[in-house]
Amino acid sequence: ASGVGRALCTIAGGCDHANLENPASEFVEAMKRAQEPDAQFTINWGPELLAFYLQVNQSETLGVKDDRDRAVRALFREDKFRQALSHAIDRDGIAQSIMRGPFIRPFAGGVYPGSPEFETESVVYYPYNVDLAKQLLAELGLEDTDGNGILNWTEGPMAGEDLVFAMTTGEDAQETVNIGESLVSMFRAVGIQVNMRPKSSQANNDENVSGEWDMKVARGGQEFALPFTRCNNLGPLTKTTPNWNREGEGTRVLRDWEQEMVDVINQYCVEKDLETRRALLNQYNRIFTEHNYAIGVVIGRYGLALAKRFQNVPAGTPVFLYDWVENALMYEQVWTPVDQQLPQVRPNTIPEYNTP
């Protein structure tokens, strides 16, 4: 079931547990229902780990089929272009459209504020500035030569063509769809046309492997929450990491700052001194955010909606830190008083799955 489906089932009392992860469609309803006297569940909120990114494909060769793909990847590898995208995003507007108030807020990318080693001073933030975004795009030689409101390539094999990109979002991560729709209109305001298409998890995974994609709106993983648990995911340390700069044919060419990033990660992941580790991680975060390696959009908190009758679940258990909460608990420790136990939904029944 989708995250929204699980949340609605828990809110209605038909399910015992949901990881709240789609703010616009889950959070307010869940919080309102949890305050009612007959609510069957309570909510714990974790640290700020619920982050959404715009990823642009910076691989020079993986999934590149023609001149158009080569031109797009070269443009995406330009710092100035990614900075222009960052300035084009009204992060506060997106946050407030998702959920009014301070619960969801702008995010520059990189290490999450909820990470134990995060320091605010490490962040380089490019605020909403449409005029500056347009200026940076013009400096790259992009201009509307045919007067249709969309910037054109002005040199190379794509000269005269409109600047058009494809964006993928996740069908089962509803917030990526909501954010993607906002980004489409914001990029259109600076002369970039983006065609958005929600896809299933499997289709997204297939795209990752093939490299045949331009942009993605994605929810971040645990490498930015507890970086030491997934060091290889922090940068170009393996052929498949990071997802937006996978190795294709030939040797992957790292930009100077990417090589610096790799060096910092390698030091961080073997360092035992806590203060030195913190300094290294925040050096990494400065490089990441300064270069808009993956462009942060907004950040919030995951929630754990759990049936009140469940006993022995530690208070404040984060829904998503080392792992999802259902994988972070020993099921054998959870129990329910006899007078609160419910009858089985389908007793003495074994599910059967018929593969066509």
Side-chain angles (χ1 to χ4, degrees):
S2 71
V4 174
R6 289 192 300 269
L8 293 176
C9 182
T10 303
I11 291 170
C15 296
D16 296 323
H17 153 240
N19 301 318
L20 302 177
E21 55 194 32
N22 293 291
S25 51
E26 299 171 9
F27 284 17
V28 173
E29 289 304 315
M31 286 190 287
K32 287 166 59 179
R33 178 65 179 132
Q35 295 178 45
E36 296 175 1
D38 62 342
Q40 298 181 26
F41 67 95
T42 58
I43 301 176
N44 281 332
W45 296 102
E48 285 188 308
L49 305 175
L50 174 57
F52 295 90
Y53 292 85
L54 171 69
Q55 301 171 356
V56 296
N57 196 341
Q58 296 163 56
S59 173
E60 288 185 289
T61 57
L62 185 64
V64 172
K65 306 182 298 299
D66 51 29
D67 288 340
R68 182 266 177 194
D69 291 340
R70 276 183 285 275
V72 167
R73 301 300 175 82
L75 184 61
F76 284 175
R77 288 174 65 86
E78 289 281 351
D79 269 25
K80 190 173 289 186
F81 181 76
R82 296 192 308 281
Q83 184 179 338
L85 292 181
S86 188
H87 282 306
I89 300 173
D90 180 3
R91 292 174 173 86
D92 190 59
I94 292 176
Q96 293 304 305
S97 70
I98 291 172
M99 185 176 179
R100 297 286 293 174
F103 205 86
I104 309 296
R105 65 187 182 93
F107 175 55
V111 180
Y112 304 147
S115 171
E117 297 175 308
F118 171 83
E119 291 181 354
T120 304
E121 294 75 16
S122 70
V123 177
V124 179
Y125 183 64
Y126 298 93
Y128 182 48
N129 189 327
V130 171
D131 290 338
L132 182 53
K134 290 180 177 180
Q135 176 185 322
L136 292 168
L137 293 170
E139 290 174 4
L140 288 167
L142 302 168
E143 57 180 288
D144 181 12
T145 56
D146 55 13
N148 67 350
I150 304 298
L151 296 172
N152 298 93
W153 304 86
T154 56
E155 56 185 31
M158 293 295 292
E161 296 293 324
D162 284 344
L163 206 62
V164 181
F165 306 119
M167 175 190 289
T168 302
T169 61
E171 289 178 348
D172 51 353
Q174 180 60 40
E175 214 58 68
T176 66
V177 179
N178 299 337
I179 291 170
E181 290 173 344
S182 296
L183 293 179
V184 168
S185 61
M186 290 173 185
F187 292 154
R188 182 65 175 77
V190 298
I192 300 172
Q193 181 175 328
V194 175
N195 299 323
M196 190 194 85
R197 183 180 178 186
K199 293 187 177 181
S200 67
S201 293
Q202 185 57 55
N204 265 307
N205 289 337
D206 291 345
E207 276 190 350
N208 292 338
V209 173
S210 70
E212 296 177 6
W213 59 278
D214 292 344
M215 296 178 166
K216 286 183 184 291
V217 178
R219 189 173 60 205
Q222 292 119 310
E223 63 268 27
F224 301 119
L226 296 169
F228 60 89
T229 66
R230 292 165 175 80
C231 286
N232 285 342
N233 292 0
L234 294 173
L237 275 77
T238 72
K239 292 183 178 181
T240 60
T241 58
N243 184 59
W244 53 89
N245 190 15
R246 292 190 176 202
E247 184 174 302
E249 296 180 7
T251 303
R252 176 171 49 188
V253 178
L254 300 183
R255 290 153 286 189
D256 290 344
W257 56 267
E258 274 185 294
Q259 185 59 58
E260 181 185 358
M261 176 183 286
V262 168
D263 294 341
V264 171
I265 294 168
N266 284 329
Q267 292 178 64
Y268 167 79
C269 292
V270 298
E271 179 59 53
K272 295 182 179 179
D273 180 76
L274 293 179
E275 289 307 312
T276 305
R277 287 171 57 81
R278 180 184 292 270
L280 286 167
L281 182 64
N282 286 284
Q283 183 182 348
Y284 159 84
N285 200 46
R286 179 194 58 76
I287 299 169
F288 190 108
T289 55
E290 180 180 351
H291 295 278
N292 291 289
Y293 203 24
I295 302 168
V297 182
V298 294
I299 194 162
R301 303 169 187 269
Y302 287 97
L304 169 61
L306 191 68
K308 290 180 178 178
R309 61 182 176 276
F310 281 19
Q311 306 296 309
N312 209 28
V313 177
T317 299
V319 64
F320 190 42
L321 192 57
Y322 286 91
D323 209 331
W324 292 105
V325 69
E326 59 268 24
N327 297 323
L329 296 173
M330 291 179 61
Y331 289 132
E332 295 85 350
Q333 78 184 35
V334 182
W335 59 281
T336 300
V338 173
D339 62 346
Q340 296 180 38
Q341 293 177 10
L342 301 178
Q344 295 183 42
V345 177
R346 294 183 181 275
N348 304 315
T349 301
I350 298 176
E352 296 182 6
Y353 301 94
N354 297 317
T355 304

